[in-house]
């Protein structure tokens, strides 16, 4: 910071937190040094190459200009209200889901329904990214279906993928638990056609290019204040997934672009998390106040999903219930479950769902890496291209 003329974060919230926390003293001394340049994504890879059907549709309406200036998509926002455009958009999504279903069958031997809601969380496995919050809801959903098997339910396929650092024991415990839960859920005949869970191993760019275009719901559920930016959220929204997420990282800016009515935001804010930390946090109290959550934790702890080794899930439960657990998983559970109920309600209305999905795609212009690099060149590096 001392030696630089400019210091930036990679999302609006990240840049604000730098000046309020880790670099607060420097920000007082050098207030004009701090700025923000939000991350961007490579449009040619994550849309043109990954989602050829959608790329063709956009080019038909806009020409090729959008490929080098993603903000051209804004000119097409009216198409969200065009039934023909929405129908073609939906058909492309279905084709992408069929391709991903084939990939899942081939890789892990799990048969999934392309007509189900594809609920996707693909990112590095880390406690702050809270794959375990997603998994707790999956188990709760499993319990609800078993308790009332005749109740109407939106069929879901919940897809996890990501890698853990070699020495990160808790991350590996979470991966193991996801696979244990998947094994039980997928073999339960009472849930046939209603719920499937798949963990896709060996996550890489090639697999991501198959997943992103097929996602209906994008899980961006990190603890508020802990995600620097995220770019998976941008890739998924660009391909027409609706985001369920916290006000963290670039989720904040995605909400600004797509509109609060076209995203599912829930949970504690960064300020509320900080306040929780100051006054103390008891996850066991949260669990006791929520019977569904208590049952879910007890099932994991008792080895329901790992009958061959009853202690398999215990480290995860112990971590979640530990005093001052730093990622506030249980504190956000009720709000997350309520947001998932809202997801179900909207998915039952395909016209409304796809209108919002189209708006997500067409609102992503600002998140191109072209824009990001242009801002770096102008404001950070202070360079101009030589013509």
């Amino acid at each position: 910071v001392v030696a630089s003329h400019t210091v930036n974060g990679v999302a609006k919230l990240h840049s604000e937190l730098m000046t309020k926390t880790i670099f607060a003293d420097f920000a007082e001394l050098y207030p004009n040094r701090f700025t923000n340049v939000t991350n961007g994504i490579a449009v040619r890879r994550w849309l043109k190459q990954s989602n050829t059907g959608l790329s063709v549709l956009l080019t038909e309406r806009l020409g090729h200009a959008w490929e080098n200036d993603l903000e051209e998509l804004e000119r097409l926002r009216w198409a969200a209200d065009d039934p023909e455009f929405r129908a073609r958009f939906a058909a492309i999504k279905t084709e992408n889901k069929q391709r991903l279903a084939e990939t899942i069958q081939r890789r892990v031997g799990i048969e999934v329904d392309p007509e189900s809601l594809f609920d996707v969380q693909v990112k590095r496995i880390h406690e702050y990214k809270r794959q375990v919050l997603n998994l707790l809801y999956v188990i709760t959903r499993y319990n609800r279906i078993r308790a009332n098997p005749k109740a109407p339910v939106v069929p879901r396929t919940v897809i996890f993928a990501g890698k853990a650092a070699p020495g990160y024991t808790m991350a590996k415990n979470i991966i193991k638990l996801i696979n244990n839960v998947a094994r039980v859920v997928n073999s339960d005949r009472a849930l046939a056609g209603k719920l499937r869970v798949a963990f896709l191993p060996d996550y890489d760019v090639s697999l991501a290019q198959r997943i992103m275009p097929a996602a209906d719901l994008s899980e961006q559920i990190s603890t508020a204040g802990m995600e620097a930016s995220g770019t998976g959220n941008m890739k998924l929204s660009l391909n027409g997934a609706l985001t369920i997420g916290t006000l963290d990282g670039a989720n904040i800016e995605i909400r600004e672009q797509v509109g609060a009515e076209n995203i599912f935001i829930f949970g504690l804010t960064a300020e509320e998390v900080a306040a929780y930390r100051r006054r103390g946090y008891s996850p066991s109290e949260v669990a006791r106040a929520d019977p569904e959550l208590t049952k879910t934790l007890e099932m994991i702890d008792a080895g329901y999903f790992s009958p061959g080794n009853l202690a398999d899930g215990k480290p995860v439960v112990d971590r979640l219930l530990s005093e001052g657990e730093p990622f506030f998983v249980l504190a956000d559970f009720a709000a997350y479950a309520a947001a998932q109920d809202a997801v179900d309600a909207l998915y039952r209305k395909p016209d409304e769902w796809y209108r919002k999905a189209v708006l997500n795609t067409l609102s992503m212009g600002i998140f191109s890496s072209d824009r990001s690099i242009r801002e770096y060149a102008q404001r950070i590096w202070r360079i101009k291209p030589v013509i």
Side-chain angles (χ1 to χ4, degrees):
V1 174
V2 170
S4 302
H5 59 70
T6 311
V7 181
N8 72 282
V10 291
K12 185 177 179 181
L13 178 64
H14 186 226
S15 299
E16 289 174 358
L17 288 172
M18 282 200 310
T19 62
K20 292 176 181 176
T21 57
I22 189 169
F23 295 138
D25 295 339
F26 285 117
E28 267 191 55
L29 287 169
Y30 311 115
N32 296 327
R33 253 173 226 198
F34 289 84
T35 186
N36 174 68
V37 179
T38 297
N39 271 343
I41 55 174
V43 178
R44 270 78 63 189
R45 176 179 292 280
W46 294 109
L47 183 50
K48 187 178 181 185
Q49 184 178 345
S50 303
N51 196 341
T52 53
L54 183 54
S55 297
V56 168
L57 177 59
L58 294 172
T59 301
E60 282 179 15
R61 303 299 180 102
L62 290 170
H64 289 279
W66 66 268
E67 296 170 12
N68 295 307
D69 182 3
L70 194 62
E71 292 182 67
E72 284 282 302
L73 295 183
E74 286 287 332
R75 295 198 293 114
L76 198 55
R77 281 181 71 95
W78 59 267
D81 295 313
D82 178 359
E84 182 195 352
F85 187 92
R86 287 201 307 269
R88 288 190 61 188
F89 188 98
I92 291 163
K93 178 66 73 174
T94 300
E95 290 171 10
N96 292 330
K97 291 169 73 173
Q98 288 168 343
R99 278 194 288 272
L100 180 57
E102 292 165 6
T103 299
I104 293 170
Q105 174 71 46
R106 187 171 61 253
R107 285 199 173 212
V108 293
I110 297 170
E111 186 175 338
V112 302
D113 179 7
E115 297 297 321
S116 64
L117 186 156
F118 276 22
D119 178 346
V120 169
Q121 188 173 20
V122 289
K123 53 183 75 249
R124 185 164 47 90
I125 310 298
H126 198 292
E127 288 172 274
Y128 87 81
K129 293 178 183 286
R130 302 200 296 188
Q131 284 89 355
V132 72
L133 175 59
N134 186 352
L135 190 63
L136 291 176
Y137 176 73
V138 168
I139 298 170
T140 300
R141 192 176 183 92
Y142 168 78
N143 289 334
R144 288 176 182 176
I145 295 170
R146 283 178 56 84
N148 194 359
K150 293 185 179 179
V153 63
V154 173
R156 278 212 196 199
T157 298
V158 183
I159 299 163
F160 295 89
K163 294 180 179 178
Y168 193 173
T169 302
M170 185 53 64
K172 295 191 173 186
N173 286 333
I174 291 168
I175 293 172
K176 193 173 187 181
L177 182 58
I178 292 170
N179 280 286
N180 286 341
V181 170
R183 194 174 301 112
V184 171
V185 168
N186 297 341
S187 62
D188 192 327
R189 292 181 181 179
L191 275 74
K194 297 178 181 178
L195 183 62
R196 284 284 182 272
V197 182
F199 183 92
L200 302 182
D202 300 322
Y203 183 59
D204 58 13
V205 170
S206 296
L207 180 56
Q209 286 183 247
R210 185 60 61 94
I211 293 172
M212 301 296 181
D216 292 308
L217 186 66
S218 165
E219 298 270 355
Q220 307 298 329
I221 57 177
S222 55
T223 309
M226 302 203 73
E227 183 76 82
S229 171
T231 55
N233 50 7
M234 303 170 192
K235 296 164 191 171
L236 286 156
S237 286
L238 181 62
N239 281 281
L242 273 62
T243 299
I244 182 169
T246 52
L247 286 174
D248 194 33
N251 291 349
I252 295 169
E253 288 148 281
I254 288 176
R255 183 181 68 162
E256 290 172 359
Q257 295 301 312
V258 306
E261 69 280 8
N262 298 313
I263 189 171
F264 301 97
I265 294 295
F266 73 92
L268 299 170
T269 64
E271 292 78 11
E272 288 167 340
V273 165
Y276 240 130
R277 287 202 172 100
R278 286 193 297 270
R279 68 174 181 261
Y281 165 51
S282 175
S284 57
E285 286 183 18
V286 174
R288 281 195 295 270
D290 187 331
E292 279 194 314
L293 179 55
T294 297
K295 181 178 180 180
T296 292
L297 292 169
E298 287 175 348
M299 289 171 72
I300 299 170
D301 195 49
Y304 180 91
F305 300 101
S306 53
N309 184 354
L310 299 180
D312 254 5
K314 189 170 178 55
V316 177
V317 174
D318 289 347
R319 174 64 160 165
L320 292 174
L321 291 173
S322 62
E323 284 298 303
E325 187 273 318
F327 305 108
F328 299 90
V329 174
L330 303 190
D332 268 347
F333 178 79
Y336 178 60
Q340 291 285 15
D341 289 342
V343 169
D344 280 353
L346 183 64
Y347 199 74
R348 289 189 175 100
K349 304 170 184 174
D351 265 358
E352 290 185 31
W353 180 279
Y354 277 107
R355 182 181 181 278
K356 293 175 184 290
V358 169
L359 284 171
N360 267 263
T361 290
L362 299 179
S363 301
M364 288 296 106
I366 196 172
F367 297 109
S368 168
S369 58
D370 299 333
R371 185 272 314 155
S372 183
I373 294 300
R374 186 169 63 245
E375 287 192 16
Y376 269 101
Q378 292 169 351
R379 294 166 42 208
I380 310 295
W381 304 325
R382 300 180 187 178
I383 58 173
K384 293 181 180 180
V386 176
I387 300 175

